[in-house]
Amino acid sequence: MPEFPVPAKLAEAAGRDSELRGRLADLPAVVADAASRWSLRIGAPFQPGGQCSWVAPAGADLVVKVVFRGGTGEDRDEAAGLQHWNGNGVVRLQAVHDGAAARVLLLERCRPGTRLSLALPEREQDKIVAGLLRRLWVTVPAAHAFRPLADMCEQWALEFERDYAAANPAGRLDPGLARTGADLLRTLPQTAGRQALLCTDLHADNVLAARREPWLVIDPKPYVGDPAYDVVQHMLNCDRLASDPAGLAQRMAELTGEDSSRVRLWLFARCVQESVGCPDLALAARRLAPG
């Protein structure tokens, strides 16, 4: 590992990924370039950080985020999404620089920055997340460059089918449920009644307390597709998913104004997709199975 401050989760991820370790070798130069380019004093990275990017404060009001080239590509359109939302429920993008080794974003800093997951009980989190989602679901011009949700769902369906085939049969979902879940990942994007710009990763750990607004979204992974899908990531992070997945889906559908049957189907499909090696999500998938 390079002798440079790397937050715990990113260091852990690099320990498992030789490609990421190689990219971290460029990190000191990338951060130094950002400091010079924008006349910043960049501090130590936030801990424990994330697994795919390096994020640190740059004074009282700004944050620098380094997103490495390669990897999963999940962060490809973060800057474009932030530009489109223009601070409406999300942190503002102040500047962006595309370098050979990484993309560097200069972002509004949330102060005090407390995570929603630590600030409010889970049912209160539902209301905040639902309100933010409804603000983010805006239309985009016909000539937009955002990826369709169907692309991500197809990749997930393929990965699930591979992992399911390799898993111990004793711990797998019933083959019929597995097939239904994978089929829904492929068909639900095509049957949406409307298309909107989606965050796709909005949950209570990605919502921070701020001064400009009470709560702001960070780390969006924009796609265009069915708004009913966008409710799911919050539910996957909820403790209630194990005990009452149907009730949770109904509550979030009501709070967002989305069709409850579609929200439930999306939650079922994602639980199936994540079920290999995860008994709790397999149980939730069984409870949500279409009649």
Side-chain angles (χ1 to χ4, degrees):
M1 297 294 295
E3 291 186 5
F4 190 83
V6 176
K9 287 187 177 180
L10 184 58
E12 182 182 344
R16 302 187 301 266
D17 184 340
S18 60
E19 182 181 350
L20 178 57
R21 286 198 300 276
R23 292 198 296 271
L24 286 183
D26 296 318
L27 185 55
V30 171
V31 173
D33 178 75
S36 174
R37 178 179 303 278
W38 293 317
S39 301
L40 302 172
R41 184 182 296 272
I42 300 175
F46 294 109
Q47 292 285 359
Q51 298 185 40
C52 302
S53 59
W54 188 93
V55 186
D61 300 318
L62 296 171
V63 164
V64 167
K65 179 175 184 178
V66 178
V67 182
F68 301 103
R69 299 292 186 191
T72 63
E74 285 184 339
D75 298 292
R76 190 196 79 172
D77 292 329
E78 179 178 1
L82 292 173
Q83 287 172 331
H84 197 81
W85 285 308
N86 192 29
N88 181 24
V90 301
V91 292
R92 285 198 171 109
L93 177 69
Q94 306 294 338
V96 60
H97 173 67
D98 284 316
R103 170 174 292 170
V104 185
L105 281 62
L106 186 61
L107 303 167
E108 172 187 8
R109 183 175 180 181
C110 294
R111 303 293 295 267
T114 309
R115 295 183 185 274
L116 177 61
S117 60
L118 300 176
L120 292 176
E122 199 173 84
R123 287 183 63 85
E124 292 301 307
Q125 296 169 22
D126 296 346
K127 300 174 185 177
I128 303 300
V129 167
L132 289 166
L133 283 170
R134 295 182 72 150
R135 294 172 64 186
L136 296 184
W137 291 336
V138 296
T139 56
V140 293
H144 71 82
F146 295 107
R147 291 167 291 183
L149 178 62
D151 285 3
M152 181 165 62
C153 290
E154 175 62 26
Q155 184 62 37
W156 275 345
L158 291 170
E159 291 173 357
F160 166 71
E161 289 166 342
R162 178 200 64 203
D163 295 343
Y164 181 86
N168 185 334
R172 298 187 311 195
L173 281 173
D174 171 88
L177 287 182
R179 185 166 50 253
T180 299
D183 288 347
L184 282 169
L185 285 172
R186 293 185 168 103
T187 59
L188 279 171
Q190 314 303 331
T191 58
R194 66 186 177 111
Q195 302 284 304
L197 185 58
L198 309 179
C199 179
T200 78
D201 195 26
L202 205 167
H203 53 82
D205 280 335
N206 278 348
V207 178
L208 303 184
R211 292 173 180 168
R212 179 168 60 85
E213 295 191 21
W215 302 101
L216 291 173
V217 174
I218 63 169
D219 294 337
K221 296 174 175 59
Y223 283 78
V224 168
D226 182 6
Y229 167 85
D230 228 6
V231 184
V232 173
Q233 194 60 52
H234 169 66
M235 295 190 288
L236 290 176
N237 284 46
C238 287
D239 293 337
R240 289 163 293 162
L241 181 64
S243 60
D244 186 18
L248 178 59
Q250 181 66 34
R251 173 172 169 78
M252 291 306 299
E254 291 172 355
L255 288 172
T256 56
E258 289 301 304
D259 180 80
S260 60
S261 62
R262 288 191 68 84
V263 172
R264 178 169 174 152
L265 286 174
W266 272 119
L267 182 58
F268 165 73
R270 284 296 315 277
C271 286
V272 169
Q273 179 240 330
E274 299 275 5
S275 66
V276 177
C278 187
D280 285 347
L281 289 180
L283 177 59
R286 294 185 187 99
R287 290 176 170 172
L288 290 164

mmCIF file of all heavy atoms in Angstrom, residues 82-104:
data_model
loop_
_atom_site.group_PDB
_atom_site.id
_atom_site.type_symbol
_atom_site.label_atom_id
_atom_site.label_comp_id
_atom_site.label_asym_id
_atom_site.label_seq_id
_atom_site.Cartn_x
_atom_site.Cartn_y
_atom_site.Cartn_z
ATOM 1 N N LEU A 82 -25.390 15.101 -10.638
ATOM 2 C CA LEU A 82 -25.367 16.246 -9.728
ATOM 3 C C LEU A 82 -25.580 17.556 -10.479
ATOM 4 O O LEU A 82 -26.252 18.473 -9.984
ATOM 5 C CB LEU A 82 -24.042 16.275 -8.967
ATOM 6 C CG LEU A 82 -23.836 15.135 -7.954
ATOM 7 C CD1 LEU A 82 -22.429 15.183 -7.390
ATOM 8 C CD2 LEU A 82 -24.873 15.197 -6.831
ATOM 9 N N GLN A 83 -25.004 17.648 -11.664
ATOM 10 C CA GLN A 83 -25.216 18.852 -12.468
ATOM 11 C C GLN A 83 -26.688 18.995 -12.844
ATOM 12 O O GLN A 83 -27.253 20.088 -12.811
ATOM 13 C CB GLN A 83 -24.346 18.795 -13.729
ATOM 14 C CG GLN A 83 -22.866 19.022 -13.459
ATOM 15 C CD GLN A 83 -21.998 18.782 -14.682
ATOM 16 O OE1 GLN A 83 -22.341 17.977 -15.555
ATOM 17 N NE2 GLN A 83 -20.876 19.468 -14.765
ATOM 18 N N HIS A 84 -27.317 17.880 -13.194
ATOM 19 C CA HIS A 84 -28.723 17.927 -13.604
ATOM 20 C C HIS A 84 -29.629 18.303 -12.431
ATOM 21 O O HIS A 84 -30.560 19.093 -12.589
ATOM 22 C CB HIS A 84 -29.134 16.576 -14.194
ATOM 23 C CG HIS A 84 -30.399 16.622 -14.993
ATOM 24 N ND1 HIS A 84 -30.436 17.040 -16.301
ATOM 25 C CD2 HIS A 84 -31.685 16.339 -14.655
ATOM 26 C CE1 HIS A 84 -31.683 16.995 -16.748
ATOM 27 N NE2 HIS A 84 -32.461 16.568 -15.765
ATOM 28 N N TRP A 85 -29.363 17.735 -11.249
ATOM 29 C CA TRP A 85 -30.187 18.042 -10.067
ATOM 30 C C TRP A 85 -29.890 19.443 -9.512
ATOM 31 O O TRP A 85 -30.750 20.029 -8.861
ATOM 32 C CB TRP A 85 -29.971 16.990 -8.995
ATOM 33 C CG TRP A 85 -30.640 15.681 -9.271
ATOM 34 C CD1 TRP A 85 -31.954 15.490 -9.589
ATOM 35 C CD2 TRP A 85 -30.051 14.379 -9.254
ATOM 36 N NE1 TRP A 85 -32.217 14.142 -9.760
ATOM 37 C CE2 TRP A 85 -31.067 13.442 -9.567
ATOM 38 C CE3 TRP A 85 -28.767 13.902 -8.993
ATOM 39 C CZ2 TRP A 85 -30.837 12.066 -9.613
ATOM 40 C CZ3 TRP A 85 -28.526 12.540 -9.052
ATOM 41 C CH2 TRP A 85 -29.550 11.632 -9.357
ATOM 42 N N ASN A 86 -28.684 19.932 -9.732
ATOM 43 C CA ASN A 86 -28.322 21.316 -9.386
ATOM 44 C C ASN A 86 -28.656 21.665 -7.931
ATOM 45 O O ASN A 86 -29.254 22.708 -7.640
ATOM 46 C CB ASN A 86 -29.008 22.292 -10.347
ATOM 47 C CG ASN A 86 -28.445 23.703 -10.237
ATOM 48 O OD1 ASN A 86 -27.277 23.884 -9.897
ATOM 49 N ND2 ASN A 86 -29.270 24.702 -10.505
ATOM 50 N N GLY A 87 -28.289 20.771 -7.012
ATOM 51 C CA GLY A 87 -28.464 21.062 -5.597
ATOM 52 C C GLY A 87 -29.851 20.802 -5.055
ATOM 53 O O GLY A 87 -30.097 21.034 -3.860
ATOM 54 N N ASN A 88 -30.777 20.324 -5.871
ATOM 55 C CA ASN A 88 -32.145 20.068 -5.429
ATOM 56 C C ASN A 88 -32.211 18.745 -4.673
ATOM 57 O O ASN A 88 -32.465 17.685 -5.241
ATOM 58 C CB ASN A 88 -33.094 20.034 -6.626
ATOM 59 C CG ASN A 88 -34.547 19.799 -6.209
ATOM 60 O OD1 ASN A 88 -34.933 20.090 -5.076
ATOM 61 N ND2 ASN A 88 -35.336 19.267 -7.115
ATOM 62 N N GLY A 89 -31.935 18.801 -3.367
ATOM 63 C CA GLY A 89 -31.947 17.599 -2.543
ATOM 64 C C GLY A 89 -30.632 16.858 -2.505
ATOM 65 O O GLY A 89 -30.507 15.874 -1.775
ATOM 66 N N VAL A 90 -29.653 17.314 -3.266
ATOM 67 C CA VAL A 90 -28.346 16.662 -3.317
ATOM 68 C C VAL A 90 -27.260 17.695 -3.054
ATOM 69 O O VAL A 90 -27.488 18.904 -3.152
ATOM 70 C CB VAL A 90 -28.084 15.998 -4.695
ATOM 71 C CG1 VAL A 90 -29.132 14.955 -5.020
ATOM 72 C CG2 VAL A 90 -28.030 17.053 -5.796
ATOM 73 N N VAL A 91 -26.052 17.213 -2.729
ATOM 74 C CA VAL A 91 -24.929 18.136 -2.597
ATOM 75 C C VAL A 91 -24.643 18.776 -3.951
ATOM 76 O O VAL A 91 -24.841 18.164 -5.002
ATOM 77 C CB VAL A 91 -23.664 17.421 -2.074
ATOM 78 C CG1 VAL A 91 -23.855 16.972 -0.637
ATOM 79 C CG2 VAL A 91 -23.277 16.254 -2.967
ATOM 80 N N ARG A 92 -24.177 20.020 -3.912
ATOM 81 C CA ARG A 92 -23.871 20.725 -5.152
ATOM 82 C C ARG A 92 -22.489 20.337 -5.658
ATOM 83 O O ARG A 92 -21.543 20.209 -4.891
ATOM 84 C CB ARG A 92 -23.928 22.233 -4.935
ATOM 85 C CG ARG A 92 -25.336 22.780 -4.832
ATOM 86 C CD ARG A 92 -25.336 24.290 -5.051
ATOM 87 N NE ARG A 92 -26.697 24.789 -5.167
ATOM 88 C CZ ARG A 92 -27.311 25.534 -4.248
ATOM 89 N NH1 ARG A 92 -26.665 25.855 -3.135
ATOM 90 N NH2 ARG A 92 -28.535 25.964 -4.435
ATOM 91 N N LEU A 93 -22.387 20.169 -6.962
ATOM 92 C CA LEU A 93 -21.108 19.961 -7.623
ATOM 93 C C LEU A 93 -20.518 21.325 -7.951
ATOM 94 O O LEU A 93 -21.118 22.117 -8.677
ATOM 95 C CB LEU A 93 -21.304 19.146 -8.898
ATOM 96 C CG LEU A 93 -20.047 18.901 -9.739
ATOM 97 C CD1 LEU A 93 -19.097 17.963 -9.018
ATOM 98 C CD2 LEU A 93 -20.427 18.329 -11.108
ATOM 99 N N GLN A 94 -19.318 21.598 -7.410
ATOM 100 C CA GLN A 94 -18.666 22.881 -7.644
ATOM 101 C C GLN A 94 -17.739 22.845 -8.866
ATOM 102 O O GLN A 94 -17.613 23.837 -9.573
ATOM 103 C CB GLN A 94 -17.866 23.278 -6.398
ATOM 104 C CG GLN A 94 -18.675 23.294 -5.119
ATOM 105 C CD GLN A 94 -19.755 24.362 -5.102
ATOM 106 O OE1 GLN A 94 -19.685 25.353 -5.820
ATOM 107 N NE2 GLN A 94 -20.769 24.174 -4.282
ATOM 108 N N ALA A 95 -17.099 21.711 -9.074
ATOM 109 C CA ALA A 95 -16.182 21.577 -10.214
ATOM 110 C C ALA A 95 -15.884 20.099 -10.406
ATOM 111 O O ALA A 95 -16.078 19.280 -9.497
ATOM 112 C CB ALA A 95 -14.888 22.357 -9.968
ATOM 113 N N VAL A 96 -15.402 19.754 -11.589
ATOM 114 C CA VAL A 96 -15.004 18.378 -11.867
ATOM 115 C C VAL A 96 -13.809 18.411 -12.816
ATOM 116 O O VAL A 96 -13.715 19.278 -13.693
ATOM 117 C CB VAL A 96 -16.176 17.575 -12.480
ATOM 118 C CG1 VAL A 96 -16.639 18.186 -13.789
ATOM 119 C CG2 VAL A 96 -15.796 16.112 -12.673
ATOM 120 N N HIS A 97 -12.881 17.492 -12.602
ATOM 121 C CA HIS A 97 -11.710 17.383 -13.474
ATOM 122 C C HIS A 97 -11.511 15.926 -13.839
ATOM 123 O O HIS A 97 -11.437 15.049 -12.971
ATOM 124 C CB HIS A 97 -10.450 17.899 -12.788
ATOM 125 C CG HIS A 97 -9.202 17.650 -13.577
ATOM 126 N ND1 HIS A 97 -8.936 18.275 -14.783
ATOM 127 C CD2 HIS A 97 -8.142 16.812 -13.348
ATOM 128 C CE1 HIS A 97 -7.786 17.846 -15.259
ATOM 129 N NE2 HIS A 97 -7.286 16.970 -14.416
ATOM 130 N N ASP A 98 -11.427 15.652 -15.137
ATOM 131 C CA ASP A 98 -11.174 14.302 -15.631
ATOM 132 C C ASP A 98 -9.701 14.150 -15.950
ATOM 133 O O ASP A 98 -9.198 14.750 -16.903
ATOM 134 C CB ASP A 98 -12.008 14.022 -16.890
ATOM 135 C CG ASP A 98 -13.460 13.746 -16.567
ATOM 136 O OD1 ASP A 98 -13.713 12.987 -15.609
ATOM 137 O OD2 ASP A 98 -14.342 14.295 -17.250
ATOM 138 N N GLY A 99 -9.015 13.359 -15.135
ATOM 139 C CA GLY A 99 -7.616 13.076 -15.378
ATOM 140 C C GLY A 99 -7.425 11.675 -15.926
ATOM 141 O O GLY A 99 -8.372 10.892 -16.041
ATOM 142 N N ALA A 100 -6.198 11.348 -16.256
ATOM 143 C CA ALA A 100 -5.912 10.030 -16.825
ATOM 144 C C ALA A 100 -6.142 8.924 -15.817
ATOM 145 O O ALA A 100 -6.589 7.826 -16.164
ATOM 146 C CB ALA A 100 -4.476 10.002 -17.332
ATOM 147 N N ALA A 101 -5.857 9.180 -14.531
ATOM 148 C CA ALA A 101 -5.952 8.138 -13.517
ATOM 149 C C ALA A 101 -7.280 8.138 -12.783
ATOM 150 O O ALA A 101 -7.717 7.103 -12.284
ATOM 151 C CB ALA A 101 -4.813 8.293 -12.494
ATOM 152 N N ALA A 102 -7.936 9.312 -12.706
ATOM 153 C CA ALA A 102 -9.138 9.402 -11.890
ATOM 154 C C ALA A 102 -9.958 10.611 -12.286
ATOM 155 O O ALA A 102 -9.459 11.558 -12.907
ATOM 156 C CB ALA A 102 -8.768 9.495 -10.406
ATOM 157 N N ARG A 103 -11.208 10.588 -11.918
ATOM 158 C CA ARG A 103 -12.082 11.757 -11.999
ATOM 159 C C ARG A 103 -12.155 12.354 -10.606
ATOM 160 O O ARG A 103 -12.357 11.637 -9.629
ATOM 161 C CB ARG A 103 -13.476 11.355 -12.477
ATOM 162 C CG ARG A 103 -14.514 12.468 -12.361
ATOM 163 C CD ARG A 103 -15.830 12.056 -12.980
ATOM 164 N NE ARG A 103 -15.683 11.936 -14.421
ATOM 165 C CZ ARG A 103 -16.607 11.410 -15.223
ATOM 166 N NH1 ARG A 103 -17.718 10.930 -14.714
ATOM 167 N NH2 ARG A 103 -16.404 11.343 -16.519
ATOM 168 N N VAL A 104 -11.989 13.676 -10.511
ATOM 169 C CA VAL A 104 -11.995 14.355 -9.213
ATOM 170 C C VAL A 104 -13.163 15.330 -9.173
ATOM 171 O O VAL A 104 -13.304 16.185 -10.054
ATOM 172 C CB VAL A 104 -10.669 15.097 -8.958
ATOM 173 C CG1 VAL A 104 -10.660 15.683 -7.549
ATOM 174 C CG2 VAL A 104 -9.482 14.147 -9.142
#
